[in-house]
Amino acid sequence: MPGPELPTAPDAGPAHGACTSCAIYNSANLRKLGVETGTYDYVAAVAGNPNTGKSTVFNALTGLRQHVGNWPGKTVARAEGGFHYHGHGYKLVDLPGTYSLLSTSNDEEIARDFLLFGRPDVTIAVVDATRLERNLNLVLQILQITDRVVVALNLMDESERHGITIDVRHLARELGVPVTPMAARKGQGVPELLESVEQVARGTVATRAHRVKHRDPRLERAVDVLAGQLQQTFPGLPSTRWVALRLLEGDPGTEQAVRDGTLGDLGRGIAGPEATSARPTGTAAR
Amino acid sequence: MTLDELRPDHRATVVALEIRGVQRRRLMDLGLLPGTEVRVDMTSPLGDPTAYLVRDALIALRRSQARAVHIEVHDDEPGRR
Amino acid sequence: MSNAHLLDHAARLRDDLPADFQEGIVESIYSDAAAISSSTVSRDSQRARLTADRLLDRALTHRVWGFAVMGVLFFAVFWFTIAGAAGPSGLLYTLLVEGGHAWLRDGFVALGSPGWLTGIVIDGAYLATAWVIAVMLPPMAIFFPLFTLLEDFGYLPRVAFNLDRLFSAAGAHGKQSLSMMMGYGCNAAGVTATRIIDSRRERLIAIITNNFSICNGRWPTLILMGTIFIGALAPPALGSVVAAGSVVAVAVVGVLTTLLVSWGLSKTVLRGQTSTYSLELPPYRPPQLWRTLHTSLIDRTLFVLRRAILMAAPAGVVIWLLSNITVDASSIAAHVVDALDPLGLALGLNGIILLAYIVAIPANEIIIPTILMLTMTLGSNLFGAQDGVMLELGSAHTETVLIQAGGWTLLTAINLMLFSLLHNPCSTTILTIWNETKSLKWTTVATLLPLTLAFAVTFLTATTARLAGWI
């Protein structure tokens, strides 16, 4: 079982006084997405491919017992729970398992919109250590949307059985975000994951997400130009390059958000603009 | 030739996907794109679909879809076990 | 720059890009992923899949063995359930229904409780609840963990893989087999699970046919009927095997119905292209025995039991009231049952069963208890036994109640199994269908199509049996 801090009653409010400097600034948008933030201090999302043990990680953190089936498409809707760590309340949202965020299917849309418009304080990207390459495809897409990511390198026990060794430090360096090896089924790595989640949520660790460089220079240029214009029109908008890419692709949801200006709300927020700089950010720990 | 003609345990590399739109995107999301190595792993007892090993995952495709994936067979041995 | 101009500009930039630039995006991401992966991962062997997994897959998807194993596995699950539940069920029955009921009744009477109060609380709410627990808890506590073990092991996608050809021929989406399997737990969950299907046409087919996956609430009915009526036909030693076989047979009929109705829909009102499908077959994972037992007991068994009890207590009250408020010298229930009897008998069922299905629209779980209670209170009048039979039968077992007071035959049992399989979804599922489709039309179709089918099939069975002189 997880560390001594866990688990607390699911969905209970924070046991200790809520941190005033870290109130969820994006609660209006989150409410629109159907997430009651209540008295939680931080919102964390759990994303990942199907069959990576996403639900197991979610359960290990929340103490909830969402059934974990070994087949794709198990979680189609969002599940929510909560936990406390070091006196802060975390709302945890389990997103549907998807291979990608680029397509138009229902589940991918839910995951994508939540990451973009919900702007979780931290996103836990659950990755199957036995199939790193195909899982990184999704992680890299998440990293295009947000810097605030912790990679949970799950199923380490299985990958050992398969004779696979992963250079975790190198992986963390390449991705630019913390990577925690774990075997969630056995409760291994949960304390370390919690620590990383806290560091990223509170901004005490600097993350510099790997940006995918598009091989076609024309695309690269178009993204640059459009991202610059987005920055001007919606000052403080995070993940402008991702939004630019979506616009170039003609994604109806994103176009709508530009047209009615909701995209701008993301930049203005309630307590402050940019995701990273408005936070009580310490200098890089570690 | 196309993926549906690939014989069990032979390996091949994807050269082109002959479908458009969403369906093309779906295959690519699964990691099936030009340059990807694929291998036939097993066929359903009823003859269709077939499960292919694509980037370490076992992906089942119906024949009608596999027909849209153009491949180049590796002319070495039957695939390594 | 105004918002609208921004969109115009994006469109202009898009125009300048090569037509296949989106593909380039995916390719760029994948090539970065491949680069990072190759610089961080090292394998001490070249094997891509564990030999054990491959061997297992060879067996489980084998032309002959694949289906044999499938049959044996599902059969074993039901056999364990039926054989294992008999003892505990009998014990609970003795404790709660016989002992507990008499004891509580005596207590109420001793305290001077008026007859109507004793009736509502003890003969109504308590008895229905006690029955639900005795009849349902043991089989569920065995069935759900076993099914969950199969699920966690990774077997279900293999079943989908084995059967896909059939779904493809029925014009259904490949992932429908997954939502179908989800329905074996709960149809409402199965309907929600159809979200994995992108195409609306195929999703509707999956939603409408999900009803033919036997849900939690219906397994106990089938298992009980199989045990009492069909298992009893065989010599005692083989009873539970035959009973399990009959439940598997009904489940198979359910799959065939799913395929047939899917085919019918895809050829008529829901015509269209079959969209692409891909299914990942995940690696086998050794199930965690204790966690599985725990989650399936908490999540499924207790969840369903709680729902059943919540529904059973009020249903018990309703039944008691229906049976004890008299109009024109006989109870409301008797009137309703009299009115329903011709239809019920034509369907090879009876009026009590139909009334029970009306009372139990909120939850299939309480069908059997409702039937038992109605049969016990009404059976005497309807089938010519003396008054006060209720108390005499209070010490009787389900079987005696149904056969002696209810006049049930093998045909009644078989048709109840078929009706249970085919009839309309429960109210929770109907509500879920509405939420998922937001269409009155399709919600109505999904509700009435199964009901019509249930009437048609039971009527045909009953008529055939009568014409053939079997009953």
Side-chain angles (χ1 to χ4, degrees):
Chain A
M1 272 316 282
E5 305 275 349
L6 287 165
T8 47
D11 256 335
H16 315 273
C19 145
T20 44
S21 60
C22 53
I24 295 168
Y25 59 93
N26 193 26
S27 46
N29 261 319
L30 284 166
R31 252 197 305 280
K32 239 182 269 169
L33 287 160
V35 180
E36 262 324 312
T37 49
T39 44
Y40 289 96
D41 301 312
Y42 299 109
V43 172
V46 185
N49 283 28
N51 290 307
T52 51
K54 225 164 45 64
S55 299
T56 318
V57 172
F58 179 83
N59 290 349
L61 290 176
T62 54
L64 286 179
R65 288 186 182 77
Q66 195 190 145
H67 175 63
V68 184
N70 184 9
W71 43 303
K74 189 69 198 12
T75 316
V76 274
R78 271 187 341 225
E80 292 176 20
F83 66 91
H84 290 98
Y85 185 68
H86 285 166
H88 292 292
Y90 291 78
K91 175 103 190 180
L92 201 61
V93 180
D94 193 14
L95 301 176
T98 58
Y99 294 103
S100 163
L101 296 173
L102 296 167
S103 291
T104 46
S105 75
N106 202 321
D107 46 354
E108 290 187 20
E109 226 163 280
I110 293 175
R112 184 169 62 218
D113 286 355
F114 190 80
L115 292 178
L116 188 61
F117 298 112
R119 285 183 71 196
D121 298 283
V122 51
T123 299
I124 302 167
V126 183
V127 161
D128 176 351
T130 64
R131 312 171 142 80
L132 192 60
E133 182 185 332
R134 76 167 34 250
N135 279 250
L136 283 181
N137 174 47
L138 178 68
V139 174
L140 290 176
Q141 293 184 30
I142 295 172
L143 289 176
Q144 308 313 299
I145 303 182
T146 168
D147 269 354
R148 304 172 146 262
V149 174
V150 175
V151 172
L153 191 58
N154 195 25
L155 302 171
M156 283 302 278
D157 47 342
E158 216 170 284
S159 92
E160 269 162 39
R161 273 199 296 135
H162 288 237
I164 296 168
T165 332
I166 297 173
D167 184 345
V168 177
R169 290 172 60 109
H170 180 74
L171 181 60
R173 235 182 355 256
E174 286 283 337
L175 296 175
V177 295
V179 176
T180 325
M182 62 191 306
R185 278 157 55 104
K186 300 177 176 164
Q188 290 166 4
V190 177
E192 291 82 358
L193 176 64
L194 281 168
E195 201 187 322
S196 294
V197 165
E198 182 188 40
Q199 286 169 341
V200 172
R202 304 186 66 183
T204 54
V205 69
T207 54
R208 238 185 94 79
H210 176 101
R211 296 277 178 243
V212 173
K213 186 128 176 84
H214 300 291
R215 286 187 300 181
D216 186 337
R218 284 169 296 182
L219 177 60
E220 196 60 37
R221 218 167 27 244
V223 169
D224 276 343
V225 170
L226 204 54
Q229 284 166 354
L230 279 164
Q231 197 69 65
Q232 275 178 10
T233 317
F234 305 107
L237 178 73
S239 36
T240 42
R241 282 177 59 86
W242 168 266
V243 176
L245 204 58
R246 300 300 301 169
L247 287 180
L248 284 175
E249 291 197 75
D251 174 57
T254 318
E255 285 183 343
Q256 186 55 39
V258 169
R259 209 170 288 129
D260 61 20
T262 36
L263 203 61
D265 300 344
L266 281 182
R268 278 190 298 279
I270 287 162
E274 296 90 325
T276 38
S277 58
R279 290 312 178 101
T281 309
T283 38
R286 286 197 179 166
Chain B
M1 75 189 253
T2 50
L3 190 55
D4 59 308
E5 298 166 304
L6 188 62
R7 297 224 310 276
D9 282 326
H10 280 254
R11 286 183 294 146
T13 302
V14 176
V15 290
L17 303 176
E18 207 188 337
I19 24 170
R20 301 256 138 252
V22 184
Q23 312 209 338
R24 181 189 193 83
R25 200 52 168 279
R26 287 245 157 266
L27 287 183
M28 296 183 76
D29 286 342
L30 289 166
L32 207 65
L33 43 140
T36 307
E37 191 185 296
V38 288
R39 205 179 68 198
V40 175
D41 194 88
M42 59 187 186
T43 301
S44 164
L46 296 176
D48 194 31
T50 297
Y52 301 92
L53 206 56
V54 183
R55 292 177 204 255
D56 288 336
L58 208 50
I59 310 281
L61 298 178
R62 284 178 179 171
R63 182 168 298 132
S64 54
Q65 281 164 275
R67 203 171 287 141
V69 180
H70 289 263
I71 51 166
E72 197 164 88
V73 184
H74 296 199
D75 39 36
D76 50 48
E77 50 12 311
R80 53 198 178 191
R81 277 264 164 156
Chain C
M1 182 179 285
S2 84
N3 300 2
H5 278 131
L6 197 71
L7 291 180
D8 296 338
H9 194 74
R12 260 201 309 282
L13 285 168
R14 185 179 331 150
D15 243 16
D16 292 340
L17 291 171
D20 62 346
F21 82 95
Q22 294 180 315
E23 211 155 291
I25 298 173
V26 185
E27 274 175 23
S28 301
I29 295 172
Y30 256 116
S31 71
D32 274 23
I36 296 175
S37 151
S38 70
S39 68
T40 47
V41 177
S42 55
R43 294 160 191 268
D44 67 0
S45 74
Q46 280 297 303
R47 62 189 171 173
R49 278 223 290 147
L50 278 190
T51 333
D53 270 31
R54 277 180 71 98
L55 283 176
L56 206 52
D57 263 339
R58 288 290 169 277
L60 294 182
T61 65
H62 188 269
R63 198 171 286 271
V64 177
W65 297 118
F67 290 109
V69 170
M70 208 159 84
V72 168
L73 270 178
F74 285 116
F75 178 82
V77 166
F78 294 121
W79 181 76
F80 272 120
T81 306
I82 289 169
S89 258
L91 191 67
L92 283 175
Y93 193 92
T94 315
L95 272 176
L96 297 174
V97 179
E98 292 173 16
H101 178 245
W103 184 80
L104 277 173
R105 203 171 203 292
D106 290 347
F108 259 64
V109 173
L111 287 173
S113 149
W116 60 268
L117 186 65
T118 314
I120 287 182
V121 177
I122 302 301
D123 298 338
Y126 173 78
L127 199 57
T129 314
W131 235 319
V132 164
I133 295 173
V135 169
M136 292 186 56
L137 182 59
M140 284 197 315
I142 300 174
F143 175 74
F144 290 141
L146 288 177
F147 196 77
T148 313
L149 283 177
L150 279 186
E151 201 181 318
D152 288 357
F153 179 54
Y155 183 61
L156 297 192
R158 270 72 187 181
V159 175
F161 181 68
N162 286 349
L163 296 180
D164 183 63
R165 181 95 187 244
L166 301 175
F167 281 89
S168 158
H173 192 278
K175 285 181 181 163
Q176 186 177 322
S177 47
L178 290 178
S179 63
M180 178 182 91
M181 278 186 248
M182 194 77 176
Y184 282 117
C186 165
N187 293 133
V191 167
T192 315
T194 60
R195 288 184 193 171
I196 53 177
I197 300 170
D198 298 336
S199 123
R200 179 169 167 83
R201 177 188 83 85
E202 288 161 328
R203 197 173 161 213
L204 281 171
I205 295 179
I207 287 177
I208 295 168
T209 54
N210 197 271
N211 182 60
F212 309 121
S213 297
I214 301 151
C215 69
N216 287 339
R218 295 185 274 165
W219 288 117
T221 308
L222 298 179
I223 290 172
L224 199 74
M225 288 300 108
T227 312
I228 296 179
F229 288 92
I230 298 175
L233 296 176
L238 290 175
S240 51
V241 175
V242 172
S246 70
V247 177
V248 174
V250 175
V252 170
V253 171
V255 175
L256 293 179
T257 311
T258 300
L259 291 169
L260 218 63
V261 172
S262 301
W263 180 80
L265 289 170
S266 73
K267 287 281 169 286
T268 54
V269 281
L270 289 168
R271 251 190 309 261
Q273 277 262 302
T274 309
S275 61
T276 46
Y277 134 99
S278 55
L279 173 71
E280 187 186 341
L281 301 172
Y284 293 103
R285 306 223 158 102
Q288 296 161 293
L289 209 57
W290 289 113
R291 181 155 296 186
T292 304
L293 285 179
H294 182 257
T295 42
S296 61
L297 279 177
I298 301 291
D299 271 10
R300 294 188 153 175
T301 311
L302 291 188
F303 171 80
V304 174
L305 195 68
R306 198 179 135 248
R307 206 172 98 98
I309 290 173
L310 284 179
M311 298 291 177
V317 174
V318 169
I319 297 161
W320 190 87
L321 290 175
L322 286 177
S323 323
N324 286 277
I325 297 175
T326 45
V327 179
D328 290 340
S330 57
S331 67
I332 300 178
H335 285 298
V336 178
V337 169
D338 273 341
L340 289 175
D341 243 357
L343 176 64
L345 293 173
L347 299 177
L349 303 167
N350 60 40
I352 289 180
I353 297 177
L354 293 187
L355 174 58
Y357 269 102
I358 296 172
V359 177
I361 284 177
N364 282 297
E365 287 87 339
I366 56 172
I367 280 295
I368 287 291
T370 308
I371 291 176
L372 287 174
M373 286 184 64
L374 286 169
T375 305
M376 274 176 50
T377 43
L378 300 176
S380 51
N381 305 330
L382 288 177
F383 300 96
Q386 309 122 315
D387 283 345
V389 112
M390 162 120 191
L391 284 180
E392 275 171 44
L393 282 171
S395 62
H397 279 260
T398 316
E399 190 177 348
T400 337
V401 175
L402 293 179
I403 297 176
Q404 293 186 356
W408 283 38
T409 61
L410 181 60
L411 176 72
T412 324
I414 291 176
N415 271 0
L416 178 58
M417 287 170 100
L418 289 172
F419 195 81
S420 168
L421 167 72
L422 300 171
H423 80 91
N424 56 289
C426 73
S427 56
T428 312
T429 306
I430 296 177
L431 203 66
T432 310
I433 295 175
W434 162 252
N435 280 330
E436 295 293 320
T437 59
K438 291 287 174 220
S439 151
L440 192 63
K441 178 181 155 201
W442 291 114
T443 310
T444 313
V445 170
T447 309
L448 294 185
L449 186 139
L451 189 62
T452 315
L453 201 63
F455 280 143
V457 168
T458 47
F459 178 73
L460 277 176
T461 327
T463 312
T464 313
R466 283 190 189 110
L467 290 178
W470 291 330
I471 52 160

